Amino acid sequence: MDSHIEHIQDQEKALEAIRHKLALLPDLPGCYLMKNREGTIIYVGKAKVLKNRVRSYFTGSHNGKTQRLVSEIRDFEYIVTGSNMEALILECNLIKTHMPRYNVLLKDDKTFPYIKITNEQHPRLEVTRRVVKDKAKYFGPYPNAYAAQQTKKLLDRMYPLRKCNVMPKEVCLYYHMGQCLAPCVQEVGKGTYEDITQEITRFLSGGHEEIKKELQRKMEEAAEELNFERAKELRDQIINIDALMEKQKITMADARDRDVFGFSVDKGWMCVQILYMRQGKMIERHASIFPFYGDAYGDFLSYVTQYYSDNPALPQEILLPEPHREAAAEPGPSGEEEADKPPVESEAGSLVAENAAVYSTSAANLEAETEADTVLEGGVEASGGAASLQEWLGVKVLLPQRGLKKQMVKMATDNARVALDEKFRLIARDEERTSKAADNLGQYIGLDSVHRIEAFDNSNIQGANPVSAMVVFTDGKPDRKEYRKYKVKTVQGPDDYETMREVIRRRYERVLKENLQQPDLIVVDGGKGQISAAVDVLENELGLFIPVCGLVKDAKHKTAQLMVGDPPEPVRLPRDSQEFYLLQRIQDEVHRFAISFHREQRGKSMVTSKLDSIPGIGEKRRKLLLKHFGSIKKIKEASVEDFRPLSIGDKLAARIIEALNEEEPS
């Protein structure tokens, strides 16, 4: 109770300090950093006007996600920048540095694969997720590793660059297959490599149709010369190109490289869809789904900024949705109402799939659309960062107002909405199956329903730090607020049966005293002995008649059998049934919870014994040392001077360091 009052007082004190700081905020662009009570940065944002944006967090009503963020804020800092573009870049760098828990986080170099032509004397092709400034040529990003690997596989067949990482002393199979120039044994001129690199660059930049025609001509020549083996190789290459480019259904007449973005938000989640258009053809798409806590459009732009922060393969145009279309779909910090949403298609793949519609328009119309969109660059700037993105990247960033470009953005947005809808429908379906599994489990063991299951597991190593844990599953789903931990008090040594008796007694005495909800089923980890111990305490000591079942594990420590009854008998439960999977999840979860609690207690006891054995160190000083240094390792590495701020003299400090660094006897 006292700690709760202290928490409220601490919150009120922090909010009072925040109110004073809010009055000093400038009318300038910049970034703000929200901090929790420990001083950890939990959210980074940018603003065109810092005063208005930061104040919006502490005024008005918010949605559940934003309210959760605001409830943890105890302080904030801000950094004024010279322009919106500087704020955009600074926000991106601050997010990457501090990795705040409430920001949208994207690790570009670990998310998307690229095809790379290495900058070496004898270059080679490779697929990489690590982008560095090494003068190599990068192509991509590809939406997934499979797409990148398939493209590289085709290029390896067509262009004879070396395939080995380390140069061998003699030619390999690739040379005999015509897929390597064998620089290991013969001189290959720089001009040859430049020609091959240009061909690959042309192919990856969309010139595959010209290359296909060239291959067709060579194939016909080989056939006329009766070189049918070579003709077959060339035919296979043409087939491979057709197969690789088969998905390019949506086309634009001007053959430009574009990234088309759309996003949708619902129930505190955001989905961002990217449609990749290369040489006017849509080749792939990529979707990311993640929780968000701030302003919808602001977090969307944060995602886009991080995506391009290390991207060496920029398109010629970036198309973004208008802010008012999706930003209002879920209230932001200023508490906007949720906008009406159009009906959602049920099939996620129906909008951009293999049988997607073919869009096309003339180059003249596209140019007119681009001019119309460019006229609105003032609007782009007002959208909260798109114009800054354009200035930073040196690439056109447009918010299409009409025509095919707007249709493409709408397609990306529709796909994002459908992907979110599918996510929630899958969750609902899983919940329905799980709830049904819980009901069926009751039928297997002769119960009308098993709405609430409480499961127990014990953990100790040779009797040291014995603990037990209880998890609760309601309608087949974990209810983590109801989990409980127990330090075993009365049992000496590794006695699993007596430990079970103590914990069952303590749990259900409290259930009776406080009139708590009783479970429909109790699950214990073990067989007949554990079941009998639990039933004995429940019925003979507490007068409770709650069904108890046991989960027996096999030699590989996996759930093997369900036992129930008095005396306990095995229940024939199909190993591939949803009911059996539910029991496995329950047993794995309670075991995980018990093990983590045991490790925590064991770690505390080791720390306690090490420090408490040093003369002059009591409980108060031990807590002070651990709070100040953070760990035993840091205390070991400290100097005598580091202890002075804690009012610990040099003599005692030296004794602490010496005691902790003494080697333990073998």
Side-chain angles (χ1 to χ4, degrees), residues 571-618:
V571 176
R572 295 191 178 278
L573 200 60
R575 296 290 292 265
D576 59 350
S577 65
Q578 288 294 323
E579 295 73 32
F580 191 82
Y581 294 152
L582 173 60
L583 290 174
Q584 278 186 323
R585 289 199 300 276
I586 292 172
Q587 189 166 41
D588 289 345
E589 176 68 356
V590 71
H591 183 67
R592 177 201 65 78
F593 192 50
I595 287 290
S596 63
F597 181 45
H598 183 254
R599 284 175 181 158
E600 178 188 320
Q601 293 303 307
R602 193 174 63 203
K604 283 182 179 177
S605 68
M606 289 170 69
V607 168
T608 301
S609 61
K610 279 184 177 182
L611 287 174
D612 285 351
S613 62
I614 302 170
I617 300 294

Side-chain angles (χ1 to χ4, degrees), residues 185-330:
V185 296
Q186 61 188 21
E187 190 68 30
V188 180
K190 190 176 180 182
T192 304
Y193 285 131
E194 286 177 353
D195 291 342
I196 293 174
T197 301
Q198 285 175 9
E199 280 285 298
I200 293 173
T201 302
R202 190 156 62 97
F203 182 92
L204 293 176
S205 299
H208 54 275
E209 286 296 339
E210 293 177 28
I211 290 169
K212 215 172 89 173
K213 287 176 185 175
E214 180 67 16
L215 291 174
Q216 186 80 28
R217 185 184 60 78
K218 289 181 179 178
M219 181 185 73
E220 290 168 0
E221 285 180 2
E224 285 176 9
E225 295 170 2
L226 304 182
N227 189 351
F228 298 117
E229 190 174 341
R230 176 61 178 159
K232 181 179 178 298
E233 288 175 6
L234 293 165
R235 185 203 64 185
D236 291 344
Q237 288 184 7
I238 293 168
I239 291 170
N240 287 328
I241 291 174
D242 286 336
L244 191 68
M245 301 301 166
E246 185 181 23
K247 294 181 183 177
Q248 301 187 9
K249 299 291 180 76
I250 301 172
T251 62
M252 287 186 173
D254 64 352
R256 303 195 72 173
D257 292 352
R258 293 181 175 89
D259 288 349
V260 183
F261 285 83
F263 77 100
S264 183
V265 294
D266 193 13
K267 299 181 180 69
W269 287 80
M270 177 182 292
C271 176
V272 177
Q273 286 265 352
I274 311 171
L275 307 182
Y276 300 95
M277 303 201 73
R278 296 297 179 261
Q279 291 292 297
K281 295 181 172 65
M282 200 196 83
I283 59 169
E284 258 297 358
R285 64 170 175 161
H286 175 78
S288 295
I289 300 179
F290 43 81
F292 79 101
Y293 300 86
D295 167 68
Y297 200 77
D299 278 4
F300 164 67
L301 279 179
S302 176
Y303 177 97
V304 176
T305 306
Q306 291 179 66
Y307 175 79
Y308 286 117
S309 62
D310 291 323
N311 190 335
L314 293 172
Q316 294 164 291
E317 275 184 11
I318 298 168
L319 307 184
L320 301 180
E322 295 179 82
H324 65 269
R325 290 178 60 82
E326 284 293 350
E330 181 153 328

